[in-house]
């Protein structure tokens, strides 16, 4: 080992910036929080080129005195905290005194400020950590922070930035979080000189919510409120007709701070249990107010996560407040009857197979159930038995397997997955029926009515897919925590795509974490797939993610990831199977029989009826 030296301050700040400033949106968040802490009532944000070129935040807050300007850009200098006790009494958004110093270390920063009582303002420039002298300047009361050329001296970070639109989406998200938490502040957001948001101050939270989420959603929100000795919980939750395929629409604020909290999110989902279809999540905007000493906000670099002293009590408060509200409003009852009226039109693709209603129960018209059916049919779930007849022809694969001399009704019937009508008598068979492997690729099985030929890869793929899907649905994916988490080196864009889709990978049992630079850490892996290398699987999934449209709903994304995983994990053509393996596969065939989802639309089997065999051999 060589000698130990203290690091120069500039480098220390650059390192600190690495933690707090991940992308332009992080700068926007920090600057907005400073303006909020300065009690500004008007804040405007100007962005050029997704924040790469310029991020400018100006406010009419309390300002900084000229002699404090240098301290403002010095690390570990803050006006918000004096001693250790204060750390457990945080009433402000910031307190670490790191943000401006960090931002100054990795950009060209100009801080201009004036306190009301001063005649003029003062400004200071910081270029890549180099602090320039303070100068007097004319400016109105308040503070203007300009951040030019973010990451200009940290090329690795700059390269990591994604498209302007993506960065702008992140910025808008940061802006939205602050704007939702502070309805009494007038906020504007401009991108490339175009106004993206202009939000007048309001006393009514709903008005602000409406500006972001639109009238339609607002009409479905229900106010809730509860209060116990320590915590006031209030806000709005959407009635169960509105739901989303992910938890991103759950906005939680603690003492005016947007937070993410798994346990509270879980509490919300729990409260809606039985009211939403599997795979759908409630929409909520919830504010929690409690004394600052009951929560530790100093546990996460960007304070996005906090630690509650009494998390289980808060969990229960959320569940019981919502549940009581639902019961008072008889929501459960109405929803149940509505459900009863729409037996097949609302079969969601993710509904458990056992609960699929029997086919013929479809009412002649399903138009009256539009709001519900709309949510699900887009996924292609079978909703109308009349569709059955047309489905095989819609499948290109059906043309590839035509029966020789088939005169009458399709003797080489393709076991197209969309049939979805439960096992047909022809190919319903019990384990004792014999099956053999041919050419290391096909399984031929005897059925009560003839025989079925399976493509072993396609069959296994379908079985795996169904099994995995079932586990995702029931949130019962068995995972193993890797003893030594696997570090996977990726390109920056691969890393960012994986991290952006972290939440879609989690239900699959794959837990990913950033690991500095463009590496990621795989922490857990599905036990079912223990024979696969996390490295190879992840790369395969990245390909999938890259091909997929960004706007893809996470439910669809998860579905396509499941296909990909099943395909990778399934036995291949050319693989020899033992008798037991053949049996095991054949015995799980029922999973495919009544499933209405087919990974690639290719047939898994060909059915030969006894009738047809007899005809072919001229026995009849
Ligand atoms: P922190 O917010 O954790 O204190 P920052 O680096 O973000 O650390 O800011 C340092 C200090 O600069 C703050 O404590 C505050 O006194 C001052 N400051 C920063 N931005 C503003 C602003 N917009 N208005 C008034 N004071 C500000
Ligand atoms: Mg701050």
């Amino acid at each position: 080992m060589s000698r130990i030296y203290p690091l120069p301050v500039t480098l220390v700040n650059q390192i600190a910036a690495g933690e707090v400033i991940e992308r332009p949106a992080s700068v926007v968040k920090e600057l907005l929080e400073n303006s909020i802490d300065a009690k500004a009532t008007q804040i405007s944000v100007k962005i050029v080129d997704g924040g790469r070129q310029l991020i400018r935040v100006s406010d009419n807050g309390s300002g900084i005195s000229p002699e404090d300007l240098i301290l403002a850009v010095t690390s570990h200098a803050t006006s918000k905290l004096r001693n250790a006790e204060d750390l457990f009494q945080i009433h402000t958004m910031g307190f670490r005194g790191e943000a401006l110093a960090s931002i100054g270390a990795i950009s060209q920063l100009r801080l201009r400020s004036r306190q009301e009582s001063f005649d003029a303002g003062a400004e200071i420039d910081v270029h890549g950590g180099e602090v320039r002298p303070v100068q007097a300047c004319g400016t109105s009361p308040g503070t203007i922070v300009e951040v030019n050329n973010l990451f200009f001296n940290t090329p690795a970070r700059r390269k990591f930035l994604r498209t302007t639109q993506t960065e702008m989406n992140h910025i808008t998200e940061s802006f939205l979080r602050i704007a939702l938490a502070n309805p009494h502040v007038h906020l504007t957001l401009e991108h490339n000189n175009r106004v993206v948001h202009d939000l007048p101050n309001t006393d009514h939270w709903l008005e602000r919510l409406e500006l972001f989420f639109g009238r339609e959603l607002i009409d479905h929100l229900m106010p809730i409120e509860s209060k116990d000795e320590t915590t006031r919980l209030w806000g709005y939750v959407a009635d169960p007709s509105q739901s989303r395929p992910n938890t991103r629409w759950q906005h939680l604020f603690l003492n005016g701070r947007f937070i993410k909290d798994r346990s509270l999110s879980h509490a919300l989902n729990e409260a809606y249990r039985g009211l939403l279809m599997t795979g759908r999540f409630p929409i909520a905007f919830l504010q929690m107010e409690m004394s600052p000493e009951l929560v530790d906000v100093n546990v996460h670099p960007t304070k996005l996560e906090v630690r509650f002293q009494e998390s289980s009590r808060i969990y229960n408060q959320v569940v019981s407040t919502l549940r009581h509200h639902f019961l008072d409003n008889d929501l459960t009852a109405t929803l149940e009857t509505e459900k009863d009226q729409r037996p097949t039109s609302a079969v969601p693709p993710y509904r458990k197979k056992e609960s699929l209603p029997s086919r013929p129960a479809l009412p002649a018209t399903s138009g009256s159930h539009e709001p519900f059916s709309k949510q699900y049919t887009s996924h292609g779930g079978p909703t109308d038995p009349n569709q059955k007849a047309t489905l095989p022809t819609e499948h290109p694969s059906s043309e590839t397997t035509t029966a020789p001399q088939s005169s009458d009704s399709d003797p080489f019937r393709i076991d197209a997955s969309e049939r979805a009508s439960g096992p047909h008598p022809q190919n319903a068979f019990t384990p004792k029926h014999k099956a053999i492997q041919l050419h290391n690729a096909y399984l031929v099985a005897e059925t009560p009515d003839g025989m079925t030929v399976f493509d072993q890869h396609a069959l296994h793929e379908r079985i795996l897919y169904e099994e995995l899907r079932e586990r995702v649905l029931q949130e019962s994916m068995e995972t193993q925590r890797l003893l030594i988490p696997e570090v996977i080196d990726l390109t920056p864009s691969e890393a960012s795509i994986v991290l952006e889709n972290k939440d879609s990978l989690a239900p699959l049992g794959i837990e990913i974490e950033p690991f500095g630079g463009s590496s990621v850490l795989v922490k857990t892996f599905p036990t079912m797939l223990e024979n696969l290398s996390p490295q190879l699987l992840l790369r395969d999934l990245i390909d999938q993610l890259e091909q997929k449209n960004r706007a893809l709903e996470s439910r669809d994304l998860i579905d396509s990831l499941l296909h990909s995983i099943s395909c990778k994990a399934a036995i291949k053509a050319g693989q020899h199977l033992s008798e037991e393996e053949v049996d095991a596969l054949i015995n799980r065939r029922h999973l495919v029989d009544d499933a209405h989802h087919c990974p690639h639309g290719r047939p898994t089997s060909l059915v030969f009826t006894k009738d047809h065999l007899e005809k072919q051999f001229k026995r009849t």
Side-chain angles (χ1 to χ4, degrees):
M1 280 281 162
S2 50
R3 301 287 309 277
I4 301 175
Y5 295 97
L7 295 174
V9 181
T10 351
L11 188 51
V12 170
N13 288 342
Q14 264 194 31
I15 293 171
E19 265 222 305
V20 190
I21 310 297
E22 194 194 337
R23 57 191 342 147
S26 337
V27 173
V28 172
K29 170 184 189 283
E30 293 294 336
L31 299 184
L32 282 173
E33 289 189 350
N34 281 345
S35 299
I36 296 293
D37 284 345
K39 302 266 182 294
T41 55
Q42 180 127 26
I43 307 174
S44 59
V45 183
K46 258 175 184 274
I47 305 293
V48 177
D49 191 16
R52 254 190 206 87
Q53 210 183 102
L54 175 73
I55 298 166
R56 182 182 189 274
V57 175
S58 58
D59 67 50
N60 64 351
S62 56
I64 308 169
S65 75
E67 60 267 31
D68 273 359
L69 272 190
I70 290 190
L71 281 174
V73 297
T74 304
S75 58
H76 311 303
T78 177
S79 57
K80 301 169 191 175
L81 185 77
R82 285 286 158 79
N83 50 44
E85 283 98 77
D86 292 350
L87 194 53
F88 304 98
Q89 276 292 343
I90 303 278
H91 291 271
T92 49
M93 304 295 289
F95 54 85
R96 293 196 185 123
E98 270 185 328
L100 289 182
S102 299
I103 297 167
I106 49 168
S107 71
Q108 291 149 1
L109 170 92
R110 169 166 293 175
L111 170 63
R112 177 181 283 192
S113 196
R114 179 182 148 197
Q115 292 188 323
E116 186 102 60
S117 54
F118 284 73
D119 293 337
E123 68 177 33
I124 190 169
D125 283 357
V126 185
H127 277 208
E130 177 208 324
V131 182
R132 311 254 163 105
V134 176
Q135 288 186 322
C137 71
T139 182
S140 42
T143 303
I144 302 170
V145 184
E146 265 182 31
V147 178
N148 285 284
N149 301 319
L150 184 66
F151 299 134
F152 81 101
N153 57 348
T154 48
R157 270 293 156 112
R158 201 167 166 93
K159 254 195 258 155
F160 193 72
L161 293 180
R162 299 184 60 84
T163 62
T164 302
Q165 192 49 53
T166 302
E167 294 304 335
M168 199 53 210
N169 290 346
H170 286 284
I171 287 173
T172 309
E173 181 69 25
S174 290
F175 177 85
L176 165 103
R177 291 170 179 183
I178 299 277
L180 288 187
N182 299 280
H184 50 278
V185 178
H186 180 179
L187 282 141
T188 57
L189 174 63
E190 267 181 38
H191 185 216
N192 295 340
N193 289 320
R194 210 176 52 82
V195 176
V196 184
H197 285 291
D198 185 352
L199 313 169
N201 58 310
T202 171
D203 290 333
H204 305 286
W205 204 28
L206 269 186
E207 281 179 16
R208 179 135 305 177
L209 293 177
E210 185 179 344
L211 287 176
F212 279 105
F213 303 102
R215 183 81 229 163
E216 207 191 317
L217 176 60
I218 300 305
D219 286 341
H220 287 280
L221 292 182
M222 312 176 284
I224 58 132
E225 172 155 27
S226 77
K227 204 174 168 181
D228 67 10
E229 320 84 70
T230 60
T231 311
R232 177 171 175 240
L233 173 72
W234 68 280
Y236 300 91
V237 295
D239 69 53
S241 72
Q242 305 292 307
S243 64
R244 292 290 182 270
N246 54 48
T247 55
R248 283 220 314 273
W249 288 66
Q250 301 177 355
H251 296 80
L252 302 173
F253 300 88
L254 169 71
N255 295 341
R257 187 191 300 280
F258 175 90
I259 58 160
K260 290 236 179 254
D261 190 281
R262 251 190 228 197
S263 140
L264 290 181
S265 211
H266 190 273
L268 263 173
N269 303 337
E270 189 58 29
Y272 276 79
R273 202 217 287 246
L275 296 174
L276 298 181
M277 298 291 188
T278 319
R280 304 294 294 184
F281 298 92
I283 301 171
F285 305 91
L286 294 181
Q287 302 255 16
M288 265 177 305
E289 291 162 15
M290 68 180 76
S291 167
E293 72 254 18
L294 293 177
V295 52
D296 189 354
V297 290
N298 192 24
V299 293
H300 189 267
T302 64
K303 306 164 199 120
L304 189 60
E305 286 164 27
V306 300
R307 191 179 294 143
F308 294 103
Q309 229 172 60
E310 305 173 286
S311 53
S312 60
R313 200 183 48 72
I314 294 166
Y315 179 97
N316 290 335
Q317 188 179 356
V318 170
V319 178
S320 67
T321 309
L322 266 71
R323 271 289 169 190
H324 278 126
H325 178 87
F326 294 160
L327 288 176
D328 289 351
N329 290 279
D330 213 12
L331 212 55
T332 323
T334 32
L335 216 89
E336 282 309 314
T337 45
E338 237 170 314
K339 249 193 219 161
D340 293 340
Q341 287 165 359
R342 51 192 169 85
T344 43
S345 61
V347 176
Y350 275 166
R351 184 99 155 251
K352 286 167 58 185
K353 286 185 299 292
E354 303 87 86
S355 62
L356 280 174
S358 56
R359 284 263 110 193
L362 190 86
T365 55
S366 54
S368 56
H369 309 301
E370 184 56 7
F372 278 93
S373 50
K374 221 161 77 187
Q375 283 183 35
Y376 302 107
T377 48
S378 63
H379 199 76
T383 56
D384 184 342
N386 302 326
Q387 275 180 11
K388 253 179 7 186
T390 61
L391 269 165
T393 51
E394 278 167 19
H395 254 278
S397 53
S398 59
E399 291 150 26
T400 60
T401 38
T402 41
Q405 312 159 25
S406 79
S407 49
D408 57 358
S409 64
D410 195 8
F412 277 53
R413 194 167 46 73
I414 289 151
D415 186 25
S417 56
E418 284 77 4
R419 253 184 335 107
S421 48
H424 263 237
Q426 291 101 314
N427 55 356
F429 49 82
T430 49
K432 48 184 186 303
H433 284 102
K434 284 173 284 227
I436 52 163
Q437 186 188 35
L438 297 182
H439 301 296
N440 288 343
Y442 301 107
L443 308 180
V444 181
E446 183 185 13
T447 65
D449 268 304
M451 64 182 222
T452 304
V453 182
F454 298 98
D455 171 331
Q456 67 183 38
H457 169 73
L459 176 63
H460 192 211
E461 181 182 12
R462 284 277 305 278
I463 290 171
L464 279 177
Y465 169 78
E466 291 300 328
E467 286 179 347
L468 286 165
R469 193 177 61 137
E470 197 67 20
R471 288 179 195 216
V472 169
L473 282 183
Q474 300 181 339
E475 292 177 48
S476 66
M477 184 72 87
E478 231 192 317
T479 62
Q480 53 186 25
R481 196 153 282 281
L482 300 180
L483 224 53
I484 304 161
E486 186 151 338
V487 179
I488 299 181
D489 295 321
L490 301 168
T491 67
S493 75
E494 286 174 335
S496 90
I497 206 157
V498 170
L499 294 173
E500 272 170 31
N501 290 287
K502 206 166 158 266
D503 291 351
S504 301
L505 295 172
L508 306 177
I510 306 172
E511 211 181 290
I512 306 273
E513 256 181 28
F515 191 62
S518 53
S519 304
V520 299
L521 205 59
V522 179
K523 296 182 71 182
T524 65
F525 205 64
T527 315
M528 268 177 84
L529 305 178
E530 59 190 348
N531 293 335
L532 283 184
S533 126
Q535 159 102 286
L536 290 180
L537 180 66
L538 196 66
R539 289 194 183 278
D540 200 61
L541 295 182
I542 289 171
D543 287 348
Q544 279 287 313
L545 290 168
E546 275 174 341
Q547 284 164 23
K548 291 295 163 200
N549 183 341
R550 254 147 212 296
L552 208 63
E553 286 201 330
S554 94
R555 186 185 51 183
D556 297 339
L557 183 62
I558 288 178
D559 213 51
S560 90
L561 293 178
L562 284 180
H563 291 162
S564 190
I565 290 176
S566 330
C567 181
K568 247 213 141 43
I571 49 162
K572 306 286 178 290
Q575 198 168 328
H576 178 73
L577 301 179
S578 67
E579 240 173 81
E580 296 81 66
E581 285 170 319
V582 170
D583 281 347
L585 208 53
I586 291 292
N587 288 342
R588 289 193 287 165
R589 191 248 185 284
H590 63 278
L591 285 175
V592 177
D593 244 357
D594 56 351
H596 51 274
H597 268 259
C598 154
H600 298 303
R602 275 193 285 122
T604 53
S605 59
L606 299 175
V607 176
F608 299 78
T609 62
K610 271 195 279 188
D611 271 1
H612 176 67
L613 292 172
E614 317 242 81
K615 257 188 215 153
Q616 292 296 308
F617 289 111
K618 312 271 185 236
R619 281 176 185 276
T620 54

